[in-house]
Amino acid sequence: AEFVGTYALVFTIGCNVIAGSPVWGAVSIGCVLMVFIYALGGISGGNFNPAVSLALTLSKVLGGPGLDAVTMLLYMIVQVIGGIAAAFSFRELFGQSIVLQPQVGF
């Protein structure tokens, strides 16, 4: 579940970077995230982001609800693999990759 959700999220972000529409890009990313959290949240919690998995583990360490360390590690590995797979798919489908760098003015 974490692989599929992370894959869809990263792939959607890549498609929106290519499209260049800031308004509809944010809407489509939010919609994909909402759909996958509703669809897969009951299976794995719908984290889809290693930072969220880490935050849930820190919550458990501090005495709240959350993930244990082994589950966090497994989720993070699967999430990173899902993101890498989406990046490769994006690259093969569109023939370009996303360049992460500061824009003019920063």
Side-chain angles (χ1 to χ4, degrees):
E2 291 295 318
F3 178 89
V4 173
T6 305
Y7 180 95
L9 182 61
V10 171
F11 189 80
T12 302
I13 291 169
C15 291
N16 283 302
V17 168
I18 292 289
S21 173
V23 174
W24 292 113
V27 170
S28 67
I29 291 167
C31 287
V32 164
L33 192 57
M34 179 189 68
V35 166
F36 276 92
I37 287 174
Y38 274 108
L40 303 173
I43 298 170
S44 65
N47 300 338
F48 310 140
N49 184 336
V52 174
S53 299
L54 178 63
L56 287 171
T57 302
L58 291 175
S59 172
K60 183 155 187 152
V61 168
L62 296 173
L67 299 174
D68 59 278
V70 173
T71 304
M72 176 207 61
L73 185 61
L74 292 173
Y75 276 17
M76 290 175 90
I77 290 169
V78 170
Q79 290 162 352
V80 168
I81 292 170
I84 291 170
F88 281 126
S89 297
F90 179 83
R91 171 100 166 110
E92 290 302 312
L93 187 62
F94 295 108
Q96 55 186 335
S97 59
I98 300 168
V99 179
L100 297 176
Q101 64 184 12
Q103 296 298 316
V104 177
F106 285 97

